[in-house]
Amino acid sequence: MIMNRKCILRLSRYKNALKRLKALGFVKVFSGNLADAAGVTSSQVRKDFSLFGITGNRRGGYKVDELINRIREILGKNEIQKVVIVGVGNIGNALLHYKGFEAGGIHIVAGFDIDPAKYQRHAEVPILPLDEFQSFVQENDIKVGILAVPDVAAHHVSEIMIAAGIKGILNFAPIQLRGAEDVIISNINLEVELENLIYFINAAGKTGVLSPVEDE
Ligand code: ATP
């Protein structure tokens, strides 16, 4: 089944909410608990779950453990997801060393750069020359990559990534890249996100009303 990105994002939020609820000792939850935690309506939660054949019991709710496993299966997280990073500058380096991905089964396995001063072949997460990207990705069957090079290099580097077999790119370069037929590109422009927030905060300062920034 092909899911749209918003639906996948919601499933990911449900899973994180479930993990929090589990840590708090919850064994069962209701759609309302998840709706609050994930910032959506209860009917949206039920709609998403019925789409995947997840059924709860109206009185008893959903079993937390079963739900976490089912969502993991749907998101493909029961398998470890290997991810590479191209461009090990400030952002790339921070992501390369971020430990928080591991809990979600995501492993950053290598970084790539064109600056020889950045290479660290024997580090726990090696940083390798971009020339080795294609062979590394193919040998390790990697499908997802993070792009964190300057904007002028982003398009060219995305083509190298796609040619090597990467199917999903998380792009931090401040330039909108378009996916190809079988490649998804998610553009994260931190400056635009901040500008967006600043705009709404300033607008709220004038009107006293804080409008929602996020669309579901
Ligand atoms: P950031 O943008 O992450 O804050 P920065 O300001 O430290 O990083 P940038 O100039 O944005 O540095 O470059 C990010 C990284 O991308 C650097 O390590 C740079 O060597 C690398 N880089 C630049 N061009 C390419 C390219 N064509 N292929 C791979 N890596 C590249």
Side-chain angles (χ1 to χ4, degrees), residues 86-92 112-115 118 130 148-150 153 157:
V86 185
V88 191
N90 283 310
I91 292 178
F112 293 86
D113 209 289
I114 46 162
D115 177 1
K118 302 273 166 93
L130 189 63
V149 300
V157 172

Side-chain angles (χ1 to χ4, degrees), residues 100-131:
F101 294 135
E102 308 248 323
I106 294 169
H107 283 194
I108 306 288
V109 289
F112 293 86
D113 209 289
I114 46 162
D115 177 1
K118 302 273 166 93
Y119 302 161
Q120 291 183 34
R121 192 170 288 282
H122 302 293
E124 192 187 340
V125 182
I127 302 173
L128 305 168
L130 189 63
D131 292 347

Side-chain angles (χ1 to χ4, degrees), residues 6-177:
K6 284 192 174 169
C7 183
I8 296 173
L9 262 178
R10 285 197 301 274
L11 284 181
S12 221
R13 286 189 192 163
Y14 300 148
K15 193 192 64 187
N16 288 339
L18 282 161
K19 287 203 282 192
R20 282 201 304 275
L21 292 167
K22 184 180 159 141
L24 290 171
F26 281 75
V27 178
K28 287 185 172 179
V29 290
F30 295 90
S31 53
N33 302 126
L34 286 177
D36 291 343
V40 298
T41 61
S42 326
S43 70
Q44 180 74 68
V45 175
R46 288 194 296 272
K47 213 157 89 188
D48 286 338
F49 286 180
S50 70
L51 190 66
F52 297 107
I54 300 173
T55 47
N57 162 338
R58 230 166 228 293
R59 289 221 192 110
Y62 303 89
K63 286 191 186 139
V64 172
D65 275 333
E66 278 178 18
L67 211 45
I68 292 177
N69 283 338
R70 182 77 186 102
I71 295 178
R72 278 205 175 126
E73 262 169 39
I74 294 165
L75 293 174
K77 287 279 180 63
N78 273 339
E79 287 171 32
I80 289 173
Q81 302 291 312
K82 291 178 285 187
V83 176
V84 287
I85 298 181
V86 185
V88 191
N90 283 310
I91 292 178
N93 197 42
L95 294 172
L96 194 84
H97 293 109
Y98 178 59
K99 298 283 176 215
F101 294 135
E102 308 248 323
I106 294 169
H107 283 194
I108 306 288
V109 289
F112 293 86
D113 209 289
I114 46 162
D115 177 1
K118 302 273 166 93
Y119 302 161
Q120 291 183 34
R121 192 170 288 282
H122 302 293
E124 192 187 340
V125 182
I127 302 173
L128 305 168
L130 189 63
D131 292 347
E132 296 179 25
F133 186 80
Q134 179 153 11
S135 55
F136 187 95
V137 160
Q138 288 172 356
E139 273 162 28
N140 294 283
D141 193 25
I142 291 163
K143 299 285 174 231
V144 177
I146 295 174
L147 182 54
V149 300
D151 52 359
V152 288
H155 181 69
H156 175 63
V157 172
S158 71
E159 286 182 337
I160 293 176
M161 293 170 83
I162 293 167
I166 292 289
K167 299 291 179 202
I169 297 178
L170 187 62
N171 170 36
F172 281 92
I175 173 177
Q176 286 279 322
L177 296 175

